[in-house]
Amino acid sequence: MGTLDGRTAIVTGAGQGIGRGIALALASEGASVTVAELNADNAAAVAAEIEGRGAKALAFPCDIRDCAQVEACVAATVERFGDLRILVNNAMAARVGVPLEETTDDDLALALAVGPAATLAFMRAAFPHLKGDGRIVNLRSGSELNGLAGFSAYVAAKAAVGGLTKVAAREWDVHGITVNAVAPFAAGPSMRAHFDSTPGFMDEVLRGLSIKRVGDPEQDIGRTVAFLVGPDAGYITGCTVTADGGGSFL
C-alpha cells in the first residue's frame, strides 16, 4: 500500500530530469500519473517506466504554451483515470548563462510562457477537478530565491511562479486545495549541461552545499513532492520547501 493509492497526478515536463524523478516517486507511492511532456518519445519512455513499477500511466505529448493542449491534457487524464487529485507544474525552458543586459525580449517571453503562463493555465484547467481534496506543487528555484548571475529570464519566470503559488494558496483554501512549491537542486539534463559547459561551476556549487552532493531527481526531489501531495501534509499550504542540500550558493 502506498500513500498515494487511488490518486491521480499530472506532472509537466516529466519526460526527463526532475520531472521524471517526481513522476516515478509519485508512481512508487501508488499514484496514477499523466506524463505531460513536449517530447513524445520521452513521454512514452517514462510512462513505460511507471507501468514497470506496477502503477498506471498516460503519456501525453503536450506543448504547455498552448492553452488548448493544456486543457486537452487535463480532460484526457480525467477520462482515462476518472479523477485528478494532484498537479505538479515542473516544466521549464529558458536561455541561461546570459548577462542581464544581453537578455532579449524573446528570452523573457520563452521563460514566461513555459513557466508562469503554463503554470496558470494548468492550475485553471485542473481547478474544477481538484476541489475537495486537491494538491498542487509548483517548482521554483534556489536561483530565483537568492539570485544567480546569468539566469535573469529564468529567475523572473520562477519568481512569477512563486507569486502564483502564494495567491492560489490563499484563494483556494476554501475549496480544499493546498498549493505549495519546491525549490530543488538536482542533476537533471539541463544542469548537467551547464556543469559541462561552465568550468569550475560544479566545484563552486558543492562549496555552497551543506550536504556535499548534488540531489537525486527521484529520491531527493520526487520524495519531497510525494510528501507534500500526500496525506501527512494536509495542514501545509503556501510554503516553499528548499530541497537543495542547504545550498547557500543558490
Side-chain angles (χ1 to χ4, degrees):
M1 296 290 290
T3 61
L4 301 177
D5 282 351
R7 309 279 279 183
T8 296
I10 293 175
V11 182
T12 72
Q16 62 179 349
I18 290 175
R20 170 182 171 272
I22 292 170
L24 292 175
L26 299 186
S28 291
E29 287 296 335
S32 300
V33 181
T34 292
V35 180
E37 164 65 37
L38 183 62
N39 185 302
D41 291 338
N42 288 354
V46 174
E49 285 187 87
I50 290 170
E51 290 173 345
R53 297 190 182 193
K56 297 176 182 178
L58 171 64
F60 195 93
C62 181
D63 185 342
I64 64 174
R65 296 169 295 182
D66 183 341
C67 287
Q69 292 189 43
V70 169
E71 292 170 0
C73 180
V74 170
T77 299
V78 174
E79 180 179 1
R80 172 70 176 275
F81 300 117
D83 199 8
L84 174 60
R85 297 283 86 199
I86 298 164
L87 172 64
V88 181
N89 286 300
N90 161 77
M92 186 59 192
R95 191 166 73 108
V96 299
V98 184
L100 185 100
E101 68 274 14
E102 296 178 15
T103 300
T104 68
D105 291 346
D106 287 343
D107 292 338
L108 183 59
L110 172 63
L112 293 176
V114 180
T119 294
L120 177 59
F122 261 105
M123 290 169 67
R124 193 170 54 219
F127 173 67
H129 308 286
L130 295 173
K131 286 182 178 180
D133 185 26
R135 300 283 186 267
I136 297 173
V137 174
N138 297 326
L139 274 289
R140 299 180 71 179
S141 171
S143 61
E144 169 236 326
L145 298 176
N146 297 300
L148 183 60
F151 280 63
S152 55
Y154 180 88
V155 164
K158 287 297 186 181
V161 169
L164 288 172
T165 300
K166 287 286 189 181
V167 171
R170 288 193 178 275
E171 291 190 0
W172 291 357
D173 172 69
V174 295
H175 299 290
I177 302 170
T178 66
V179 189
N180 293 292
V182 172
F185 182 66
S190 60
M191 184 57 69
R192 290 194 193 97
H194 195 61
F195 285 153
D196 293 342
S197 65
T198 311
F201 184 63
M202 172 67 91
D203 292 337
E204 187 177 0
V205 166
L206 292 178
R207 281 196 299 271
L209 297 179
S210 299
I211 300 173
K212 301 299 182 183
R213 64 176 177 82
V214 177
D216 179 79
E218 180 179 353
Q219 296 303 316
D220 296 315
I221 311 307
R223 298 297 303 164
T224 299
V225 173
F227 165 73
L228 287 173
V229 302
D232 294 329
Y235 196 57
I236 301 173
T237 196
C239 80
T240 294
V241 177
T242 52
D244 65 354
S248 59
F249 166 72
L250 294 176

